Structure formats: C-alpha cells, structure tokens
Amino acid sequence: MAFPVPRSLSPSKVSSFTDCALAFRFSVIDRLPEPPSAAATRGTLVHAALERLHLLPPAERTVDAALACLADARVELRDDPEYVGLELRGDDEVAFHAEAAELVRNYFRLEDPRTVRAIGLELLLTAEVDGLRLRGIIDRLELDDDGGLVVTDYKTGAAPPTQHERKRLSGVHIYSLLCEELLGRRPARVQLLFLRDPLAIITEPSDRSTRGTRRTLGAVWTAVERACHREDFRPQPSRLCEWCSFRAYCPAFGGDPAAARMLAEGAAAEAEPQLALELA
Ligand code: SF4
C-alpha cells in the first residue's frame, strides 16, 4: 500500500524533503510528534514581537517599543504547550529570554522599521502552481518607495555560509512565486534578515529565478509522489542529523522506519473513532 501523498507543499517542507527524504516522511507523512525546541520557540517569540512592532505607527517603532512588544509576546506565549514543554527554569529561562531580546535588538542593525510600509504581516498564502498546491506564511509583505512589493523573512538561526546562500534563498523565491500567482505582480525584492549575525541576504526575482523555482518545485513534487507510491524515502545523513528528532527510527542510527509507520497507523486508528464521534 502506498503512503498518502501530502495535500500541499510549503517552503519548509520543500527544504525538509531536499535535506533528507526520510526525515520529511517521519514529519509530514507519519506525523511523528517532535519534542519542543528552544530555538524554534524563541523564533516564534521573536516573530510575534516583530509583528507587533510593525503594527505600531511608524514613528513609534523604537528599540524600547520592540522590547515592550517582546514582553507582551512573552506573556502570550507563557501557556503555549510548545513553551511549557521546554520546562525552562532559573538560568535557562533567563538565557532564553535574554537571547530573544538580543535578536530583537539586532533587528535594528539591519533596517530602520520606521521606514517600512508593511501591507501584510504573517500572511498565509495558498495557490495552485502547475498542478501543485503551494502554501506559505510570509513574515512581512511591504511596498518599497517605488510601489514595488518586498517579501521579508526573519531568520533567528545562524546565517548560512556564502556557498549555501542560494539554497537558503529558495524559500523566499517560493514566496515570491506565491505573490506573483495571487497578486499578479512579481516582488521587486525578497530578503532574508538573519537576526543572530545580524545579516541581510537580498535578491531580486527575475524571469530566470522564477523559472528555476517552478522547475525545482515540479521536480520535488514528482519526487515526493514517487517516494509515496514506492514507499521509498531514503535517509540522507548530514550534520542535520545532530538535531533530528527521528534518529530512533532512522536506519543510519540503527533504527527501523517500519516502527514509525506502525506508530503513525496506530495514532490514525485511534483518531478515527474520535472523528466519527465528532461527525455524528
Ligand atoms: S537522523 Fe539524519 S538521516 Fe536519519 S532521518 Fe534524521 S536527518 Fe535523515
């Protein structure tokens, strides 16, 4: 029996599949739970703070206001299962929030938020592109001085080495394609703001990059469908294994992917009566 084919792809799923097809399967097809990660949760917190900052009138977007936004976002996150699951206490909790504050301060070294004309924040876009359902959340969509669209993606992890910049930009090129499909206009600029370093990587989408993005998406989608039909998702060991939550099921670490499948099928069977009850 073939694995179920995912209903859509997002930039993060595309990069998950190209990084390691087996990790993609565990996460997207088997839907194995992953333990909360401090880095991801801190990213959520900082994104929420910057979203709040850009909702303020331009003149009020100061460092102090951003730190106040961070404090508000922290209160909101307090009961979130992802944050609670981190079980942060004492020095760890202090360090977690100090790092978040540092990332917010660093943001001001990359741009002056008083000059940003955002027209969308945390924008969920979905479009059919060449028969593929594509979806993504754009951190910020804005207008430049000439009225051109600009897509901005905040990153709270480390910036990639120069030779990997193109790969990291592939996600924002997908956002650019989504904008073009839905708004009928290609963004003038797409940018990644790495808050840790801090560093901005900026590019201007072109006919060539758009064609390349379409080609890559088509190739990834074909590969995903084929892997599902053949039940063949291969491990691709790399330094990313160090942070992978699925090592217990990965043959590269002595695990058995079939155990993950059984777990997934068991969870689906358990959910079915519940669903039937909800639909009754
Ligand atoms: S441990 Fe490495 S090879 Fe195995 S699934 Fe995770 S990322 Fe892939």
Side-chain angles (χ1 to χ4, degrees):
M1 198 178 74
F3 290 158
V5 178
R7 290 204 198 116
S8 63
L9 279 186
S10 63
S12 60
K13 284 183 190 169
V14 169
S15 87
S16 159
F17 183 79
T18 51
D19 285 339
C20 175
L22 185 59
F24 172 92
R25 184 200 118 175
F26 290 146
S27 164
V28 177
I29 314 251
D30 296 328
R31 294 174 179 271
L32 295 185
E34 292 184 64
S37 126
T41 309
R42 191 165 36 239
T44 305
L45 178 62
V46 170
H47 276 72
L50 294 180
E51 181 185 2
R52 284 167 180 265
L53 178 71
H54 283 281
L55 287 171
L56 296 176
E60 293 177 21
R61 296 176 197 156
T62 60
V63 176
D64 285 346
L67 293 173
C69 288
L70 182 65
D72 290 343
R74 175 177 172 173
V75 171
E76 204 158 271
L77 188 72
R78 204 170 37 199
D79 299 324
D80 189 293
E82 198 187 346
Y83 181 74
V84 174
L86 292 176
E87 297 180 355
L88 293 172
R89 302 279 180 274
D91 289 351
D92 290 342
E93 188 174 17
V94 170
F96 177 93
H97 290 291
E99 279 182 47
E102 188 62 27
L103 293 170
V104 167
R105 277 194 207 93
N106 281 352
Y107 162 72
F108 285 81
R109 293 168 61 191
L110 292 172
E111 65 178 12
D112 179 350
R114 292 171 303 181
T115 63
V116 173
R117 284 193 291 157
I119 55 171
L121 297 168
E122 298 297 324
L123 211 55
L124 172 63
L125 301 182
T126 308
E128 257 336 278
V129 178
D130 304 331
L132 156 67
R133 192 170 172 75
L134 201 57
R135 65 201 305 274
I137 297 174
I138 291 182
D139 290 342
R140 197 177 82 205
L141 185 66
E142 71 213 60
L143 294 175
D144 65 15
D145 290 343
D146 301 320
L149 293 172
V150 178
V151 173
T152 298
D153 200 25
Y154 306 120
K155 296 287 180 196
T156 50
T162 315
Q163 68 269 29
H164 293 146
E165 271 186 17
R166 262 189 66 201
K167 185 169 184 241
R168 294 302 293 268
L169 274 165
S170 63
V172 268
H173 277 299
I174 297 176
Y175 292 133
S176 163
L177 183 59
L178 271 170
C179 283
E180 203 171 333
E181 290 290 323
L182 287 169
L183 308 176
R185 278 164 71 188
R186 179 179 301 160
R189 206 166 83 230
V190 291
Q191 55 186 16
L192 291 172
L193 300 185
F194 286 91
L195 306 180
R196 185 168 299 278
D197 301 272
L199 173 81
I201 301 179
I202 301 171
T203 188
E204 294 178 3
S206 60
D207 285 347
R208 192 160 169 243
S209 68
T210 306
R211 270 199 310 275
T213 302
R214 282 183 185 278
R215 248 196 327 270
T216 304
L217 284 172
V220 168
W221 186 238
T222 304
V224 169
E225 284 185 316
R226 191 186 306 128
C228 286
H229 291 139
R230 295 180 181 170
E231 298 190 3
D232 183 12
F233 287 85
R234 304 203 178 163
Q236 196 172 315
S238 71
R239 63 181 188 85
L240 295 177
C241 298
E242 202 182 317
W243 299 280
C244 181
S245 321
F246 309 123
R247 278 182 292 188
Y249 303 102
C250 176
F253 288 83
D256 179 5
R261 193 70 216 140
M262 279 163 61
L263 207 66
E265 284 167 356
E270 251 177 52
E272 256 172 37
Q274 179 64 32
L275 188 65
L277 276 176
E278 281 167 12
L279 292 174

Coordinates of all heavy atoms in Angstrom, one line a residue, residues 19-23 26 234-238 240-242 244-247 250-253, ligand 1:
D19 N 16.6 18.2 2.1 CA 17.6 17.9 3.1 C 17.7 16.4 3.4 O 18.8 15.8 3.5 CB 17.4 18.6 4.4 CG 17.7 20.1 4.3 OD1 18.4 20.5 3.4 OD2 17.1 20.9 5.1
C20 N 16.5 15.8 3.7 CA 16.5 14.3 4.0 C 15.1 13.8 3.8 O 14.2 14.2 4.5 CB 16.9 14.1 5.4 SG 16.8 12.3 5.9
A21 N 14.9 13.0 2.7 CA 13.6 12.5 2.4 C 13.0 11.7 3.5 O 11.8 11.7 3.8 CB 13.7 11.6 1.1
L22 N 13.8 11.0 4.3 CA 13.3 10.1 5.4 C 12.7 11.0 6.5 O 11.7 10.7 7.1 CB 14.3 9.1 5.8 CG 13.8 8.1 6.9 CD1 12.7 7.3 6.4 CD2 14.9 7.2 7.4
A23 N 13.5 12.0 6.8 CA 13.0 12.9 7.9 C 11.7 13.6 7.5 O 10.8 13.8 8.3 CB 14.1 14.0 8.2
F26 N 8.9 11.1 8.1 CA 8.6 11.0 9.5 C 7.7 12.2 10.0 O 6.8 12.0 10.7 CB 9.9 10.9 10.4 CG 10.6 9.6 10.2 CD1 12.0 9.6 10.3 CD2 10.0 8.4 10.0 CE1 12.7 8.4 10.2 CE2 10.7 7.2 9.9 CZ 12.1 7.2 10.0
R234 N 14.5 7.8 1.4 CA 15.8 7.4 1.9 C 16.4 8.3 2.9 O 16.2 9.6 2.7 CB 16.7 7.2 0.7 CG 16.1 6.2 -0.3 CD 17.1 5.6 -1.2 NE 16.3 4.7 -2.0 CZ 16.7 4.1 -3.1 NH1 17.9 4.4 -3.5 NH2 15.9 3.3 -3.7
P235 N 17.2 7.8 3.8 CA 17.9 8.7 4.7 C 19.1 9.4 4.0 O 19.6 8.9 3.1 CB 18.5 7.8 5.8 CG 18.5 6.4 5.2 CD 17.5 6.4 4.1
Q236 N 19.3 10.6 4.4 CA 20.4 11.4 3.8 C 21.2 12.0 5.0 O 21.1 13.1 5.4 CB 19.8 12.5 3.0 CG 20.8 13.1 2.0 CD 20.1 14.0 1.1 OE1 19.0 13.7 0.5 NE2 20.6 15.2 0.8
P237 N 22.1 11.2 5.6 CA 22.8 11.6 6.8 C 23.7 12.9 6.4 O 24.3 13.0 5.4 CB 23.8 10.5 7.1 CG 23.1 9.3 6.5 CD 22.5 9.8 5.2
S238 N 23.6 13.8 7.4 CA 24.4 15.1 7.2 C 24.6 15.6 8.6 O 24.1 15.0 9.6 CB 23.6 16.1 6.4 OG 22.5 16.5 7.1
L240 N 22.8 17.7 9.9 CA 21.5 18.0 10.4 C 21.0 16.9 11.3 O 20.1 17.1 12.1 CB 20.5 18.2 9.2 CG 20.7 19.4 8.3 CD1 19.7 19.4 7.2 CD2 20.6 20.7 9.2
C241 N 21.6 15.7 11.1 CA 21.2 14.5 12.0 C 21.3 14.9 13.5 O 20.6 14.4 14.3 CB 22.1 13.3 11.7 SG 21.9 12.7 10.0
E242 N 22.3 15.7 13.7 CA 22.6 16.1 15.1 C 21.3 16.7 15.8 O 21.1 16.5 17.0 CB 23.7 17.2 15.1 CG 24.4 17.3 16.4 CD 25.5 18.4 16.3 OE1 26.2 18.4 15.3 OE2 25.6 19.2 17.3
C244 N 18.1 16.1 14.6 CA 17.0 15.3 14.1 C 16.3 14.6 15.3 O 16.9 13.9 16.0 CB 17.4 14.3 13.0 SG 16.0 13.4 12.4
S245 N 15.0 14.8 15.3 CA 14.2 14.1 16.4 C 13.9 12.7 16.1 O 13.3 12.0 16.9 CB 12.9 14.8 16.6 OG 13.0 16.2 16.5
F246 N 14.2 12.2 14.9 CA 13.7 10.9 14.5 C 14.8 9.8 14.4 O 14.7 8.8 13.8 CB 13.1 11.0 13.1 CG 12.1 12.1 13.0 CD1 12.2 13.1 12.1 CD2 11.0 12.1 13.9 CE1 11.2 14.1 12.0 CE2 10.0 13.2 13.8 CZ 10.2 14.2 12.9
R247 N 15.9 10.1 15.1 CA 17.1 9.2 15.0 C 16.7 7.8 15.4 O 17.2 6.8 14.9 CB 18.3 9.7 15.7 CG 19.1 10.7 14.9 CD 20.3 11.2 15.6 NE 19.9 12.0 16.8 CZ 20.8 12.7 17.6 NH1 22.0 12.6 17.3 NH2 20.4 13.4 18.6
C250 N 15.6 5.9 12.5 CA 16.4 6.1 11.3 C 17.5 4.9 11.1 O 18.2 4.7 12.0 CB 17.1 7.4 11.3 SG 18.2 7.7 9.9
P251 N 17.5 4.2 10.0 CA 18.4 3.2 9.8 C 19.9 3.6 9.9 O 20.7 2.8 10.3 CB 18.1 2.6 8.4 CG 17.1 3.5 7.8 CD 16.6 4.4 8.8
A252 N 20.1 4.9 9.6 CA 21.5 5.4 9.7 C 22.0 5.4 11.1 O 23.2 5.5 11.4 CB 21.6 6.8 9.1
F253 N 21.0 5.3 12.1 CA 21.3 5.2 13.5 C 20.9 3.9 14.1 O 20.6 3.9 15.3 CB 20.8 6.5 14.2 CG 21.5 7.7 13.9 CD1 21.2 8.4 12.7 CD2 22.5 8.2 14.6 CE1 21.9 9.6 12.3 CE2 23.2 9.4 14.3 CZ 22.9 10.0 13.1
Ligands
SF4_1 S1 18.9 11.1 11.5 FE1 19.7 12.1 9.7 S2 19.5 10.6 8.0 FE2 18.2 10.0 9.7 S3 16.1 10.8 9.3 FE3 17.2 12.3 10.6 S4 18.2 13.7 9.2 FE4 17.6 11.9 8.0

